[in-house]
Amino acid sequence: MSLKKIILILQITLSLLTGIFGQVQELPEITLIIEKPVAQQTIVITAEEIREKNVESLTGLLQSAGIQILAYGPYGLESKPSIRGFTDETVRVVIDGVCVNNAQYGTFDFSSIDVNSIEKIEIVKGGFTEGITDEGAVGGVIYITTKSIEYGQHIFGDSSIKSFFNLDYPLDTFSQKISYRGQTSDSSFLKAGVNFTFAQNHFLFDDQLNGNQVQRNNAEVLDGSGELKYSVYFAGGNLFSAGESFYGGNKNTPGPEHGHSGNQRDYDNNLTLNLNLPSIVENWRFESGISWLSNTRFYTSLDEDSKHYVNTLKMYFSGFYYGMENYSQGLGLSFDYTNLSSTNDGNHTQFAGSFKETAKYSFNEHFSVSLPFAVNFCNENFAFIPKLGVKYNVNNFSITGNVYRMIQFPNMDDLYWNGSPYFGNPNLKPEDGWGGEVSFSGSFGNFSGYITGFTNYYQNKIQWAGTSPQNVASAFYAGLDGSIEAAFFEKDLQFKLNLEYLYNRLLDKSNSLTYGKKIMWTPDFTAGFSAVYNNDDFNLILEGNYVGKRYTSNLNVYFMEPYFLVNACGELKCWKNVAPYIRLDNIFNTKYQAVENYPMPGFSMTLGAKLRFDYE
């Protein structure tokens, strides 16, 4: 669809809204309702933190928050977060209210979003979520809010080069990002941007099998993305927005250390329309949206040549009532229709949806209760998901607790995959479990934070046993996770520490070899640390990321060693239009693997500069 046609559609939509709600006018006092969670602990990464860290992809931000990343290589190659021992589709990724996990294989490509376009990231661990959007998380939810409104006219640029100090390829990665954010009228805003990255991903690593140092080849990535979003305020603060984003990537996937390489081409297209009505009815806020998510993948290797087309139409409607001082109510309804055409999976359709309500009661200034529940379905699968959260607070301290049910429906690869010698299982049952946690949080002087004790029992977990997936695994999880922050010298100096300890055991008695063993690839400890010094002229950041010992199979015979990564970043801010920066990753050149037989790069340096031009 051409840009001219998109603008015409936006103009027609705006005309209809004007006829229904009145003339578009100068921005009024915009209605903004901030919900305070009752029993949900959230790790927040702000736009300022994102800007300061100058990471090349979203995974770098998640690592600094203490999240384990199962990475199959550097930039552009597959990576997925693991929260409390859960990964893939059990960790939801929600961008501006839309869940973007791929319906075929459950994950999200973190290379496809420009970190400079993100306003805020909120990480909720566990399956207790008080929001209406995207019910169904088990391990947690990563909520991403992108930037949409910027007064005036602004042009942004970000250019960078990166080196792994491989003498054959001294300049490894080049990245260029250009974007515009500004007003097109008194009450309308436009955001547009394009990004381009070329990463050779050639780095040296220690070959354990042959005992020498070799170069990681066949890992070149060439990708680019673009976005366009138009937002209009009308009739007292109501908002209509339309957004289009595209990602294309050509990725040479190196495969395991001594395996076959391949080529993967990904093309993603997302079109989203949203309507937010916070002031159409007194004491109510209404939201609705419709999205088309298209994911296309072509994969070629010595063993196979496959094509995968996934198209999903999403619709959601929600309403929030705030008419009473001690009570609020949220109601949400969503539907997903997915069409899959795949060389391996065949042609299939999937109809899924969720109804969720969230009632919040405040009995007095100290005690409050949250009562969410959801009804989910996916084709013939159906589940009722109740939850309960309580909170007691006094002064700057609070105690919260919650219990919840966890349900995860099998993805389309689990059901339909047909690529010899592996075959899906259409008779799989949903994964099922219960979880609970107790959390203590508070602030004292310059310090704030929380610590949470949690436990989960999970059964019917889907595992690929032999050549087909089966509901064979059940497991017990228990652990602690927490966060502490401190700020000094009027917040010029800030510290953050996020950590997690996880105890887990497999409980499938039908398999005596794995009963009582730890779950593969699941560390006992993970942690993330950052120290930031920031003033008007420059900022300096020191980061640490620790991941503990992980077994390579559920037999618990071999394991990958723990690793600790140290990164640093500095940026000059003393000039008006340009901010040069330097970022050092893996400063101590740690040799490590996030996934067995997929070596990760050692020390690297990135040099870049950010540009900003402001106009009235």
Side-chain angles (χ1 to χ4, degrees):
M1 183 179 293
S2 67
L3 178 61
K4 186 176 181 180
K5 289 183 179 179
I6 293 174
I7 294 175
L8 178 60
I9 293 172
L10 293 175
Q11 290 174 339
I12 293 172
T13 305
L14 179 57
S15 299
L16 291 173
L17 291 172
T18 301
I20 297 172
F21 297 106
Q23 294 294 318
V24 174
Q25 53 192 294
E26 288 193 16
L27 276 177
E29 181 179 349
I30 298 172
T31 304
L32 179 63
I33 301 172
I34 300 176
E35 294 185 84
K36 294 183 179 180
V38 172
Q40 172 182 292
Q41 295 292 350
T42 305
I43 297 174
V44 179
I45 305 175
T46 65
E48 181 65 17
E49 293 176 277
I50 295 170
R51 188 193 66 79
E52 290 171 345
K53 293 188 176 182
N54 293 302
V55 294
E56 63 182 0
S57 69
L58 186 55
T59 54
L61 294 171
L62 299 178
Q63 281 183 311
S64 67
I67 303 298
Q68 179 197 9
I69 300 295
L70 297 172
Y72 291 79
Y75 176 84
L77 302 179
E78 183 180 4
S79 62
K80 47 194 177 184
S82 176
I83 298 178
R84 292 184 177 175
F86 293 92
T87 186
D88 295 331
E89 63 265 48
T90 62
V91 177
R92 301 287 189 173
V93 180
V94 179
I95 301 179
D96 292 335
V98 178
C99 180
V100 292
N101 292 65
N102 187 290
Q104 181 184 3
Y105 41 83
T107 58
F108 169 70
D109 184 355
F110 286 102
S111 303
S112 62
I113 183 170
D114 175 18
V115 294
N116 292 329
S117 71
I118 298 175
E119 180 67 31
K120 179 175 61 174
I121 299 173
E122 298 168 284
I123 304 170
V124 178
K125 293 186 175 183
F128 184 92
T129 53
E130 295 181 348
I132 292 298
T133 306
D134 180 58
E135 178 55 32
V138 171
V141 187
I142 300 170
Y143 293 103
I144 300 172
T145 303
T146 63
K147 299 175 181 178
S148 58
I149 295 176
E150 191 98 28
Y151 294 97
Q153 311 291 328
H154 311 276
I155 296 176
F156 304 88
D158 189 345
S159 303
S160 65
I161 57 173
K162 180 177 181 177
S163 176
F164 290 123
F165 295 95
N166 181 346
L167 295 181
D168 293 333
Y169 300 91
L171 294 181
D172 181 82
T173 304
F174 171 75
S175 180
Q176 178 63 61
K177 303 174 183 178
I178 301 174
S179 62
Y180 163 84
R181 294 196 297 272
Q183 291 178 267
T184 56
S185 71
D186 289 337
S187 55
S188 62
F189 301 83
L190 180 66
K191 179 179 72 170
V194 292
N195 312 298
F196 166 82
T197 300
F198 173 63
Q200 298 182 90
N201 287 335
H202 286 302
F203 57 90
L204 300 175
F205 71 96
D206 293 330
D207 186 342
Q208 302 294 332
L209 182 64
N210 299 312
N212 59 347
Q213 194 172 63
V214 298
Q215 180 173 276
R216 188 62 156 151
N217 291 316
N218 304 310
E220 183 178 284
V221 172
L222 174 65
D223 69 2
S225 63
E227 63 173 340
L228 180 67
K229 187 174 184 179
Y230 184 63
S231 305
V232 181
Y233 281 95
F234 60 95
N238 300 308
L239 172 65
F240 168 77
S241 65
E244 162 71 17
S245 64
F246 173 80
Y247 171 81
N250 185 73
K251 308 172 182 181
N252 291 319
T253 57
E257 192 171 328
H258 297 283
H260 295 308
S261 61
N263 178 263
Q264 177 178 304
R265 288 173 290 151
D266 290 332
Y267 303 99
D268 302 330
N269 189 81
N270 298 342
L271 176 63
T272 302
L273 305 176
N274 287 300
L275 187 61
N276 189 331
L277 304 172
S279 57
I280 189 172
V281 178
E282 185 177 4
N283 299 324
W284 280 87
R285 182 176 91 243
F286 296 99
E287 296 179 5
S288 64
I290 182 169
S291 302
W292 169 52
L293 309 182
S294 176
N295 305 105
T296 301
R297 171 169 293 178
F298 304 112
Y299 183 76
T300 303
S301 72
L302 293 175
D303 301 321
E304 65 175 306
D305 187 356
S306 62
K307 300 177 182 179
H308 311 271
Y309 304 91
V310 186
N311 286 277
T312 301
L313 182 67
K314 291 175 170 281
M315 294 181 289
Y316 76 89
F317 311 90
S318 61
F320 302 85
Y321 174 70
Y322 299 95
M324 300 174 64
E325 181 178 356
N326 297 324
Y327 169 77
S328 66
Q329 176 71 64
L331 298 171
L333 186 64
S334 65
F335 298 101
D336 295 358
Y337 176 80
T338 300
N339 177 263
L340 170 65
S341 178
S342 166
T343 306
N344 298 102
D345 290 320
N347 297 311
H348 298 276
T349 59
Q350 177 177 283
F351 185 50
S354 174
F355 167 77
K356 185 177 181 182
E357 73 81 31
T358 301
K360 300 180 182 181
Y361 305 86
S362 296
F363 293 96
N364 51 49
E365 62 179 336
H366 301 297
F367 184 65
S368 54
V369 174
S370 177
L371 290 169
F373 75 80
V375 177
N376 288 7
F377 71 90
C378 182
N379 286 352
E380 68 277 6
N381 289 316
F382 176 89
F384 174 69
I385 307 175
K387 303 183 180 185
L388 169 66
V390 296
K391 180 177 182 178
Y392 181 81
N393 65 280
V394 56
N395 298 326
N396 295 324
F397 298 90
S398 64
I399 302 174
T400 61
N402 60 65
V403 292
Y404 50 87
R405 190 184 182 196
M406 304 179 293
I407 293 289
Q408 181 60 59
F409 299 132
N411 64 41
M412 300 179 85
D413 272 354
D414 292 333
L415 295 170
Y416 309 122
W417 186 268
N418 184 356
S420 180
Y422 301 103
F423 299 92
N425 181 357
N427 298 314
L428 289 170
K429 295 183 292 185
E431 300 177 350
D432 185 8
W434 287 87
E437 56 189 58
V438 177
S439 183
F440 301 86
S441 62
S443 60
F444 180 78
N446 296 322
F447 295 86
S448 63
Y450 73 86
I451 184 167
T452 300
F454 62 88
T455 182
N456 298 309
Y457 174 72
Y458 205 56
Q459 61 184 352
N460 293 325
K461 185 168 178 59
I462 297 170
Q463 284 192 343
W464 282 76
T467 61
S468 179
Q470 305 290 334
N471 292 106
V472 296
S474 59
F476 173 76
Y477 302 79
L480 296 170
D481 65 49
S483 175
I484 186 169
E485 302 179 18
F488 304 94
F489 309 114
E490 298 182 347
K491 295 187 177 181
D492 284 351
L493 181 62
Q494 299 181 38
F495 299 93
K496 280 190 176 184
L497 173 65
N498 299 291
L499 51 85
E500 177 181 300
Y501 166 73
L502 178 65
Y503 171 92
N504 66 88
R505 288 293 184 271
L506 289 163
L507 300 178
D508 180 21
K509 292 184 178 180
S510 66
N511 189 340
S512 60
L513 295 177
T514 62
Y515 181 79
K517 302 294 180 65
K518 293 184 178 180
I519 300 173
M520 60 186 293
W521 294 355
T522 304
D524 44 7
F525 284 99
T526 56
F529 168 80
S530 67
V532 180
Y533 179 75
N534 196 350
N535 62 29
D536 293 336
D537 296 323
F538 65 91
N539 66 56
L540 295 173
I541 299 175
L542 182 66
E543 297 175 349
N545 175 235
Y546 176 82
V547 175
K549 181 175 74 172
R550 295 136 291 140
Y551 286 100
T552 58
S553 77
N554 289 338
L555 297 175
N556 289 187
V557 178
Y558 304 104
F559 62 86
M560 291 181 285
E561 295 287 348
Y563 61 86
F564 180 61
L565 306 178
V566 178
N567 313 316
C569 182
E571 178 181 318
L572 290 177
K573 303 187 298 181
C574 50
W575 294 303
K576 179 180 179 181
N577 300 115
V578 59
Y581 63 85
I582 180 173
R583 181 174 176 87
L584 308 176
D585 287 295
N586 197 356
I587 291 176
F588 297 113
N589 200 34
T590 300
K591 309 298 182 183
Y592 74 103
Q593 295 181 2
V595 177
E596 185 186 21
N597 294 324
Y598 286 85
M600 297 294 290
F603 173 66
S604 67
M605 179 176 66
T606 301
L607 297 175
K610 292 182 177 179
L611 303 176
R612 175 170 180 151
F613 298 94
D614 303 315
Y615 305 94
E616 294 296 331

